């Protein structure tokens, strides 16, 4: 009869299914790594409904015919062959016709009516696993998916939204290398694969049983049962044919080559049997004999069979079996008889809580007046205690029965012998335990190099197999329990991109490492109805979407608007527990339509970003959210520029933009033109309603960007001698015309007609850094304003915030104040390094004193570090996680909807 604890194996490792799901979540997180050993996808683009090519395979020709057929929806193979041969050159027609005729025997190209064929973009959550109790080859995979389907022309669309849970049964076969021997039969047709990996292979196939692959629509999606079934049918096709599941190469020495599901519900575990004796063969029935669950809802248990423990103790029992000798026992009033004692049998008996070392012996004498003792039973109870990862054999009691007057003497002899020989058994068990833990650790590191095993402390004597203590002795063997610790979870990754020809935003590449997204929260700014109102900010709107990662651009959004995204969801921790998590709101700003090919450190040339929902009496400087520099590296020329008038108005005038507005109105500009109005430094210290009134908000014919002449950067760049002055920059970023004083309509019209050529409508382009969440943070070496040197790589293991700021920018100073609060948060707070992009290093001490900052200031006069990271927005704060990867990017001051850790 098989041992229910270990089956016919010497040992078994059982891992709680919840703990396994923590490891699987790590594989999902591994998708962010460049070359992980194992990983799971978080997003994929998959073709749906393409004909399945069957043998014979005609290679490139078949692929080419498929492409031709897709471009001619509704045509079968006969029509395609006729068209191709009819239009081919004479020397090719016959050869092509024969090849297509042969191709038709092995390739199905006919398109049935109402066909589903197209491209599906699928977001996949971290998966969780369950194993049916008793199963040795099936694992059920549970995942949440969202998908957006793009049908081919002339084909049928799928129901929307595609959002729900997928439950799919996969068949798993471990195919060990030949030197180990097969513990399970390899999948048919994959024996050749089994011979290539040094540690064998893991062959995974989705079930061919339709009832084992199901799709359940997410509550609130509105999908009907028939729509749910239609999506389910396509999900089966994708799993079976759209995703190629290649055999997984296991590392050399991977110790597990069979599995079995045990337990149920929250107590479910996966049993992985082990052979401990080199050269021993696994039982013919594999792990089927394992029926006992030894772990709870978390952690792992390592069990060895009673037969293996007996083998470990055999040198001890053999030594005890050799005990014999003579002993003199005093008897009052008689001569002291001499007894000859002899051990007749030694065995180990396993109970719940102790191992009984049972020694049977006899003691005989030749003295006629003293009795013989033929049935002496010595029972040594042994308990196992785990301390600091080491097993100790503890005396749990010793009894001697049937020895009469010789009891004390014989007891002393047994104790002495026991003390001499038990340490060898103790050392042997610890050797096996450490080897098993090492093999287990090695296997775990295939999934996550950061995790490790930790044995529990203490022991359990009474509760037996049901105990949750470190060590339990049962009738079937010995159990040692532990936890899987270490590892970490990365912050959510937020990625915003354009899709649908620029008519929508997509969060397709956004994901929660080791988790799933439950809701997307979009927010944006709708600008005002007049050009000046547009320049002074707008109204913030928001929309929450649970079912789709596509967000159609709302009518009120413009290329001046910020688009922000926050994601909420659940994340599976390394121990398998699930927690709620939210991704700090990420806002992207548009690159300015007006750009100049100048060094970024040349001078402060920037356009402001405004916070939304400004009250009429707000001081405009307090409403600044950031500044976007107009200097570029000279890339994307002619791709996204706009004709621009840089205008320096006479701010002392009651209506400083009135004359230019009248000239633009009468000049009847053919091409779209933008105006950058450069106001004197300090102008934003006025209230919004006062600036709006002065600029005549309802009567300007072009879109206006307001900015201040910080540090005289604009004046110095354009060589302004007097105000008003106007400068014309064409869409190629070339300075082509200037005029001192307000231009008349005729003069302005002539200049525009002469220098401006029609340009295509500008497609908004968002500002991008050189890094993004999930990418490696470029190495930085620095010396701060106090003379301390440092390097980013030396800060591995800690959260780091890299801040880029300018002394002239009010929102930069606001952000520095916030970061000081983060810096002072206490233990575990991130390291803050603030890079000043201005040319005057003397301001650092003044700013430090004014703001009371204590973190590192670094002078970056030529913006070498800022350019390395692609910074053009002031301030920009980049969070780097302990592994050295970018975790979060914040352009401008922190958004109030939420932040990543420390951001």
């Amino acid at each position: 009869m098989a041992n229910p604890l270990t089956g016919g194996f010497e040992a078994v490792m059982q891992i709680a299914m919840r703990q396994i799901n923590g490891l699987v979540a790590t594989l999902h997180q591994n998708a962010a790594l460049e070359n992980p050993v194992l990983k799971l996808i978080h997003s994929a683009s998959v073709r749906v409904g393409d004909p399945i090519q069957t043998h014979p395979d005609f290679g490139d020709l078949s692929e080419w015919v498929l492409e031709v057929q897709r471009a001619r929806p509704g045509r079968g193979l006969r029509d395609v062959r006729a068209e191709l041969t009819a239009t081919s050159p004479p020397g090719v027609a016959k050869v092509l016709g024969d090849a297509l005729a042969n191709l038709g025997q092995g390739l199905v190209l006919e398109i049935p009516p109402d066909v589903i064929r197209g491209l599906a973009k699928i977001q996949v959550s971290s998966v969780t696993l369950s194993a049916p109790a008793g199963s040795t080859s099936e694992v059920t995979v549970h995942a949440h998916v969202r998908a957006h389907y793009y049908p081919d022309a002339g084909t049928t669309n799928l129901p929307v939204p595609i959002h729900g849970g997928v439950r799919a049964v996969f068949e798993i076969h471990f195919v060990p290398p030949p030197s180990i021997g097969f513990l399970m039969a390899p999948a048919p047709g994959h024996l050749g694969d089994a011979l290539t990996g040094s540690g064998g292979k893991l062959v995974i196939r989705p079930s061919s049983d339709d009832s084992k692959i199901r799709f359940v629509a997410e509550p609130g999606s509105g999908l009907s049962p028939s729509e749910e079934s239609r999506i389910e049918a396509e999900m089966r096709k994708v799993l079976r044919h759209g995703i190629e599941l290649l055999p997984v190469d296991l590392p050399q020495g991977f110790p597990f080559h069979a599995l079995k599901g045990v337990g149920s519900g929250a107590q479910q575990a996966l049993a992985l049997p082990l052979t401990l004796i080199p050269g021993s063969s696994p039982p013919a029935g594999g792990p089927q004999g394992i029926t006992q669950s030894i772990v709870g809802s978390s952690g792992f248990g390592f069990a060895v069979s009673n037969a293996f423990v007996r083998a470990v103790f055999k040198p001890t029992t053999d030594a005890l079996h050799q005990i014999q000798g003579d002993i003199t026992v005093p008897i009052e009033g008689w001569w002291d008889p001499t007894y000859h004692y002899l051990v007749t049998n030694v065995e180990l008996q396993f109970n719940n809580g102790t191992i009984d070392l049972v020694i049977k012996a006899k003691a005989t004498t030749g003295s006629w007046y003293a009795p013989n003792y033929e049935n002496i039973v010595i029972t040594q109870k042994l308990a196992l205690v785990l301390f600091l990862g080491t097993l100790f054999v503890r005396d749990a009691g010793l009894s001697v029965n049937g020895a009469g007057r010789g009891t004390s003497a014989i007891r002393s002899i047994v104790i002495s012998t026991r003390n001499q020989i038990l340490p060898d058994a103790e050392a042997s068990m610890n050797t096996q335990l450490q080897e098993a833990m090492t093999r287990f650790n090695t296997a775990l590191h295939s999934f996550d190099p950061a995790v490790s095993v930790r044995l529990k402390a203490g022991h359990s004597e009474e509760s037996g197999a049901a105990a949750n203590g470190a060590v339990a002795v049962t009738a079937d063997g010995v159990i040692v329990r532990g936890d899987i610790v270490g590892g970490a979870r990365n912050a959510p990754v937020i990625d915003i991109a354009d899709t649908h020809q620029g008519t929508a935003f997509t969060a397709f590449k956004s994901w929660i490492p080791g988790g799933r997204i439950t809701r997307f929260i979009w927010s944006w700014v709708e600008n005002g109805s007049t050009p000046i109102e547009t320049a002074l900010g707008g109204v913030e709107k928001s929309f929450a979407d649970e079912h789709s990662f596509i967000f159609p651009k709302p009518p009120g959004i413009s290329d001046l608007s910020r688009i922000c995204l926050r994601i909420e969801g659940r994340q599976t921790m390394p121990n398998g527990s699930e927690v709620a998590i939210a991704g700090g709101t990420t806002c992207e700003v548009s690159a300015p339509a007006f750009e100049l090919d100048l060094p970024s450190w040349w001078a402060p040339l920037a356009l402001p970003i405004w916070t939304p929902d400004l009250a009429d009496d707000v001081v405009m400087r307090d409403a600044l959210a950031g500044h976007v520099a107009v200097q570029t590296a000279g890339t994307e020329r002619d791709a996204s520029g706009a004709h621009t008038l840089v205008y320096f108005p006479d701010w002392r005038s009651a209506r400083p933009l009135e004359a230019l507005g009248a000239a633009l109105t009468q000049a009847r500009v053919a091409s779209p033109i933008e105006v950058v109005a450069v106001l004197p430094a300090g102008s934003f210290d006025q209230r919004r309603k006062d600036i709006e009134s002065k600029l005549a908000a309802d009567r300007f014919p072009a879109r206006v960007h307001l900015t201040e002449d910080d540090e005289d950067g604009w004046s110095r760049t354009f060589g302004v001698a007097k105000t008003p002055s106007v400068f014309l920059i064409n869409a190629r970023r070339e300075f082509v015309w200037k005029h001192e004083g307000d231009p008349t309509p005729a003069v302005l019209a002539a200049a525009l007609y002469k220098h401006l050529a029609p340009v295509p409508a500008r497609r908004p382009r968002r500002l991008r850094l050189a890094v993004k969440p999930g990418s490696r943070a470029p190495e930085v070496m620095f010396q701060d304003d106090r003379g301390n040197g440092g390097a980013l790589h030396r800060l591995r293991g800690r959260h780091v915030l890299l801040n880029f700021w300018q002394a002239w920018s009010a929102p930069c100073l606001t952000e520095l104040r916030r970061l000081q609060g983060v810096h002072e948060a206490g233990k575990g707070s991130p390291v803050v390094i603030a890079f000043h992009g201005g040319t005057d290093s003397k301001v650092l001490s003044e700013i430090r004193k004014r703001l009371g900052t204590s973190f590192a200031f670094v002078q970056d006069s030529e913006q070498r570090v800022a350019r390395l990271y692609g910074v053009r927005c002031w301030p920009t704060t980049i969070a780097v996680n302990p592994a050295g990867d970018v975790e979060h990017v914040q352009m401008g001051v922190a958004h109030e909807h939420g932040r990543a850790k420390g951001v």
Side-chain angles (χ1 to χ4, degrees):
M1 181 177 178
N3 185 321
L5 189 62
T6 63
F9 293 85
E10 291 106 32
V12 66
M13 188 73 73
Q14 287 192 23
I15 311 174
M17 193 59 70
R18 193 181 80 164
Q19 188 79 67
I20 289 176
N21 287 331
L23 295 173
V24 171
T26 298
L27 299 187
H28 185 257
Q29 179 170 277
N30 283 353
L33 303 180
E34 290 186 7
N35 296 300
V37 176
L38 298 171
K39 71 174 182 178
L40 295 173
I41 61 172
H42 60 80
S43 59
S45 297
V46 179
R47 287 287 307 175
V48 175
D50 285 339
I52 302 171
Q53 186 169 316
T54 59
H55 294 290
D57 185 350
F58 290 89
D60 293 341
L61 178 61
S62 64
E63 293 297 325
W64 177 70
V65 173
L66 280 173
E67 291 176 7
V68 173
Q69 188 269 343
R70 288 183 196 131
R72 297 162 172 78
R75 300 190 185 186
L77 176 62
R78 183 178 303 172
D79 294 334
V80 172
R81 182 170 60 233
E83 181 176 344
L84 291 176
T85 54
T87 57
S88 299
V92 178
K94 185 178 186 306
V95 176
L96 187 59
D98 293 342
L100 289 171
N102 292 330
L103 183 63
Q105 299 174 14
L107 188 67
V108 178
L109 289 178
E110 302 297 333
I111 303 179
D114 194 27
V115 70
I116 299 295
R117 180 173 298 162
L119 178 70
K121 291 195 172 184
I122 306 174
Q123 274 187 342
V124 186
S125 71
S126 176
V127 303
T128 57
L129 306 180
S130 62
S135 173
T136 59
S137 61
E138 287 188 346
V139 171
T140 303
V141 176
H142 309 260
H144 293 265
V145 298
R146 284 183 186 82
H148 194 86
Y149 178 64
Y150 301 85
D152 288 351
T155 62
T156 304
N157 207 341
L158 283 172
V160 293
I162 303 174
H163 181 208
V166 175
R167 189 192 70 213
V169 173
F170 285 80
E171 298 168 356
I172 297 180
H173 298 275
F174 291 96
V175 185
S179 60
I180 296 178
F182 295 122
L183 299 185
M184 299 187 68
H190 293 280
L191 183 57
D193 291 337
L195 305 180
T196 60
S198 61
K201 287 181 179 288
L202 191 66
V203 179
I204 305 172
R205 295 287 181 268
S207 174
S208 58
D209 184 347
D210 283 357
S211 67
K212 293 184 177 182
I213 301 179
R214 304 300 305 271
F215 171 78
V216 179
E218 196 73 16
S221 65
L223 292 172
S224 67
S226 62
E227 291 173 328
E228 192 176 61
S229 296
R230 187 160 194 176
I231 294 173
E232 182 177 86
E234 297 305 321
M235 286 289 182
R236 293 191 187 108
K237 294 177 184 177
V238 169
L239 288 176
R240 291 170 179 162
H241 309 295
I243 300 175
E244 185 177 6
L245 296 175
L246 297 175
V248 177
D249 287 304
L250 299 174
Q252 188 173 9
F254 194 79
F256 306 115
H257 298 92
L259 61 85
K260 183 180 180 183
V262 293
S264 61
Q267 307 297 313
Q268 190 178 77
L270 202 62
L272 304 168
L274 284 162
T275 55
L276 299 180
I277 302 174
S280 63
S281 299
Q288 286 288 2
I290 302 171
T291 59
Q292 190 172 331
S293 177
I294 63 174
V295 294
S297 60
S298 64
F300 71 91
F302 170 64
V304 291
S305 68
N306 51 17
F308 182 77
V309 175
R310 287 190 177 99
V312 170
F313 271 80
K314 190 174 188 307
T316 300
T317 56
D318 287 348
L320 289 170
H321 206 283
Q322 300 301 315
I323 295 177
Q324 61 177 318
D326 296 321
I327 185 171
T328 300
V329 179
I331 299 177
E332 185 178 353
W334 297 86
W335 293 281
D336 296 343
T338 298
Y339 277 91
H340 180 75
Y341 59 88
L342 173 70
V343 172
T344 59
N345 186 55
V346 180
E347 64 178 10
L348 292 181
Q349 294 178 358
F350 286 78
N351 305 305
N352 283 342
T354 62
I355 302 174
D356 291 353
L357 179 60
V358 180
I359 305 168
K360 294 182 179 180
K362 64 181 180 180
T364 58
T365 181
S367 301
W368 60 268
Y369 53 83
N372 291 323
Y373 300 101
E374 301 286 346
N375 297 302
I376 301 172
V377 179
I378 305 167
T379 304
Q380 170 70 71
K381 289 185 175 295
L382 303 174
L384 297 179
V385 178
L386 191 67
F387 180 70
L388 297 178
T390 301
L391 277 174
F392 293 93
V393 179
R394 197 192 74 181
D395 182 355
L398 184 144
S399 62
V400 182
N401 297 318
R405 291 184 177 90
T407 297
S408 297
I410 295 176
R411 184 177 186 275
S412 297
I413 292 170
V414 169
I415 290 175
S416 175
T417 306
R418 178 204 68 187
N419 291 342
Q420 293 177 25
I421 60 181
L422 274 183
D424 290 339
E426 187 177 84
S428 181
M429 289 193 66
N430 275 296
T431 297
Q432 294 295 336
L433 176 63
Q434 294 306 318
E435 288 182 357
M437 292 301 100
T438 298
R439 295 168 73 184
F440 189 33
N441 257 324
T442 301
L444 289 177
H445 290 169
S446 303
F447 298 85
D448 182 0
V451 304
S452 61
V453 295
R454 179 181 61 194
L455 298 175
K456 293 180 183 292
H459 70 283
S460 172
E461 295 183 5
E462 293 79 20
S463 303
N468 290 320
V471 184
V473 178
T474 77
D476 301 306
V478 176
I479 302 167
V480 179
R481 296 184 177 87
D483 296 306
I484 299 174
V485 297
R489 285 289 170 260
N490 294 342
V493 175
I494 300 178
D495 184 279
I496 306 171
D498 286 314
T499 187
H500 296 72
Q501 290 75 49
T503 62
F505 297 111
T506 176
F508 174 54
K509 292 296 182 69
S510 297
W511 62 300
I512 296 177
R516 61 187 175 95
I517 299 173
T518 57
R519 187 165 68 151
F520 301 91
I521 303 175
W522 299 90
S523 57
W524 68 98
V525 175
E526 288 189 356
N527 297 109
S529 58
T530 68
I532 303 298
E533 286 178 345
T534 296
L536 295 177
V539 178
E540 186 172 56
K541 305 285 186 179
S542 65
F543 175 74
D545 194 340
E546 297 178 355
H547 303 297
S548 177
F549 50 78
I550 301 293
F551 177 54
K553 291 184 178 179
I557 200 167
S558 73
D559 63 338
L560 293 177
S561 300
R562 283 191 300 173
I563 179 70
C564 303
L565 175 61
R566 173 183 172 86
I567 57 176
E568 297 177 350
R570 309 286 295 177
Q571 193 171 45
T572 302
M573 296 292 102
N575 66 357
S577 63
E578 192 177 83
V579 299
I581 190 170
T585 302
T586 294
C587 296
E588 292 192 353
V589 299
S590 294
F594 167 61
E595 295 177 318
L596 292 173
D597 296 335
L598 289 172
S600 57
W601 42 264
W602 170 264
L605 301 173
L607 300 179
I609 306 169
W610 301 102
T611 57
D613 305 318
L614 301 183
D616 286 343
D617 60 352
V618 68
V619 174
M620 295 304 295
R621 190 168 308 283
D622 297 337
L624 285 167
H627 289 93
V628 178
V630 301
Q631 298 102 311
T632 75
T635 58
E636 302 184 41
R637 185 181 296 275
D638 298 328
S640 59
H643 300 312
T644 306
L645 287 171
V646 179
Y647 184 55
F648 294 82
D650 180 0
W651 195 241
R652 297 165 299 179
S653 170
R655 293 286 184 268
L657 264 62
E658 187 173 48
L660 179 63
L664 283 171
T665 301
Q666 297 179 45
R668 298 181 180 180
V669 182
S671 296
I673 195 166
E674 310 226 348
V675 173
V676 174
V678 182
L679 310 184
S683 299
F684 289 156
D685 291 329
Q686 301 179 60
R687 295 178 299 176
R688 170 178 175 156
K689 63 182 180 182
D690 297 331
I691 292 180
E692 248 182 22
S693 174
K694 193 167 186 176
L695 297 178
D698 58 344
R699 294 191 298 276
F700 203 82
R703 188 162 64 178
V704 177
H705 305 271
L706 299 180
T707 189
E708 282 187 310
D709 197 9
D710 292 299
E711 297 185 354
D712 297 326
W714 290 91
S715 297
R716 288 188 286 113
T717 298
F718 286 90
V720 176
K722 58 176 291 188
T723 58
S725 289
V726 61
F727 301 82
L728 179 60
I729 311 294
N730 65 20
R732 293 188 297 275
R733 308 175 188 173
E734 300 167 338
F735 165 63
V736 293
W737 176 78
K738 77 171 184 178
H739 180 83
E740 291 185 344
D742 283 320
T744 64
V747 170
L748 182 59
L752 298 180
Y753 178 80
K754 178 180 179 181
H755 296 289
L756 301 188
V759 294
R762 178 178 180 268
R763 185 172 178 175
R765 177 171 54 85
R766 285 190 303 283
L767 210 59
R768 298 287 190 183
L769 294 181
V771 297
K772 63 180 181 179
S775 66
R776 177 66 64 179
E779 178 56 41
V780 175
M781 300 186 71
F782 57 87
Q783 185 175 46
D784 68 17
D785 59 326
R786 293 166 173 167
N788 300 314
L792 186 57
H793 72 271
R794 295 179 185 171
L795 298 173
R796 294 284 168 80
R798 296 194 62 180
H799 285 274
V800 180
L801 297 179
L802 305 178
N803 173 258
F804 299 87
W805 63 286
Q806 294 274 9
W808 50 264
S809 171
C812 286
L813 304 186
T814 299
E815 181 67 2
L816 290 178
R817 290 189 187 95
R818 187 186 71 80
L819 291 177
Q820 179 61 26
V822 173
H823 180 65
E824 294 174 346
K827 184 178 179 180
S829 59
V831 177
V832 181
I833 308 169
F835 296 90
H836 176 238
T839 57
D840 185 5
S841 60
K842 296 178 182 178
V843 301
L844 297 186
S845 58
E846 189 273 326
I847 295 294
R848 182 182 290 284
K849 182 177 180 180
R850 190 201 316 176
L851 302 182
T853 57
S854 56
F855 50 81
F857 278 1
V858 178
Q859 180 63 27
D860 189 25
S861 297
E862 295 185 359
Q863 298 182 17
R864 295 181 184 274
V865 180
R867 286 185 282 120
L868 179 65
Y869 280 79
V871 172
R872 285 181 60 192
C873 179
W874 309 97
T876 290
T877 304
I878 299 172
V880 179
N881 67 19
D885 299 324
V886 174
E887 189 171 80
H888 186 79
V889 171
Q890 172 193 303
M891 294 187 190
V893 295
H895 194 280
E896 63 180 8
H897 285 267
R899 303 167 187 153
K901 181 176 180 177
V903 178

